[in-house]
Amino acid sequence: MTFQKRAHKILELLEELGEVEIRQLAAEIGVSEVTVRRDLANMATNGLLYRTHGGAMKVSELIKPVSFVNKAAVNFKAKDAICKRVAEDINDGDIIFIDCGSTVFRLCQFIKNKKIKVITNSLPIVNELHGSAVTINLIGGEVDPIRQAVHGTMSLEHIGRYRASKAFLGVDGITAEGLYAGSEHEASNTLAMASQSDCTYMLCDAGKIGKTSYLKFNDLSLVDVLVTDYNGPEITAFQSKGISVYSVTH
């Protein structure tokens, strides 16, 4: 059976069931689990489905903003294009910070085969990378059940003990005046990770550009590289501040 026919069958099953496991797909289609995993990875890269730990979920099931996973699926094409570009800058042997943002979460699918160390406060990222080639360092502290992330004084102390070559972070808004977050917890973790990294990447889909939020927590000096699908006039302002801008299309 060709990949196209397998993909069609997978999408039919997702349409019917909403979510499926790899073992179930392998039995239904009559192929190995290895083949199913490869097919799901290809289809997720093309935005046809959402990869879960052990299977896949229908993308349309994720559009309602009721959970972290749902939020990660909003604007998924832009987020995947951003993360695919970012993954090109991640090399075997790198030590990187990844925060709990929904955009940065989608980086997982592009780095699973890289021999790197990931330091993160995101429980979904730990779950997604578990069993991959990636070594995971989960930041300690209090768990925020809504954000599914670890925050607090202990988490900042934990971050301060480590040094990374790169940090991949998100914000609720970015303008020429600075960076904005929805809470002090998120702002504190972003600042801590950036301060412990040689290079800070900010991953922002077009909806974050020019947007302000509850808390302005830093100016643009925190950012070394901005990766976005936005191509409007603010890009020139960011570049004038010394930020390298990676523009992506989807």
Side-chain angles (χ1 to χ4, degrees), residues 63-189:
I63 300 306
K64 301 167 189 173
V66 296
S67 74
F68 176 88
V69 173
N70 297 343
K71 186 178 178 183
V74 175
N75 297 331
F76 70 90
K77 289 185 178 179
K79 292 175 180 178
D80 282 355
I82 289 167
C83 290
K84 188 174 183 179
R85 173 61 187 89
V86 161
E88 296 176 11
D89 285 10
I90 301 175
N91 307 305
D92 284 352
D94 276 349
I95 302 169
I96 66 175
F97 283 112
I98 302 180
D99 73 4
C100 62
S102 60
T103 299
V104 184
F105 169 75
R106 299 193 72 93
L107 180 60
C108 292
Q109 63 190 307
F110 302 109
I111 63 173
K112 287 184 175 181
N113 295 324
K114 295 179 183 286
K115 295 177 180 178
I116 59 176
K117 292 183 186 295
V118 168
I119 308 169
T120 185
N121 68 324
S122 166
L123 300 182
I125 285 176
V126 171
N127 184 62
E128 191 70 12
L129 293 178
H130 177 70
S132 72
V134 177
T135 299
I136 305 166
N137 181 329
L138 174 61
I139 293 166
E142 295 183 356
V143 175
D144 180 334
I146 297 176
R147 292 288 292 168
Q148 296 183 40
V150 182
H151 295 301
T153 302
M154 294 303 296
S155 71
L156 300 181
E157 291 183 7
H158 186 135
I159 293 168
R161 292 176 181 269
Y162 294 92
R163 187 73 196 174
S165 52
K166 305 175 181 85
F168 299 95
L169 312 173
V171 287
D172 287 325
I174 177 171
T175 72
E177 283 69 49
L179 305 172
Y180 296 81
S183 76
E184 293 182 19
H185 279 317
E186 291 174 23
S188 295
N189 273 21

Side-chain angles (χ1 to χ4, degrees), residues 200-221:
T200 298
Y201 290 71
M202 201 61 67
L203 282 56
C204 301
D205 63 59
K208 305 289 180 64
I209 307 298
K211 177 185 173 183
T212 61
S213 186
Y214 166 69
L215 172 67
K216 178 185 174 183
F217 67 92
N218 211 85
D219 60 29
L220 294 179
S221 64

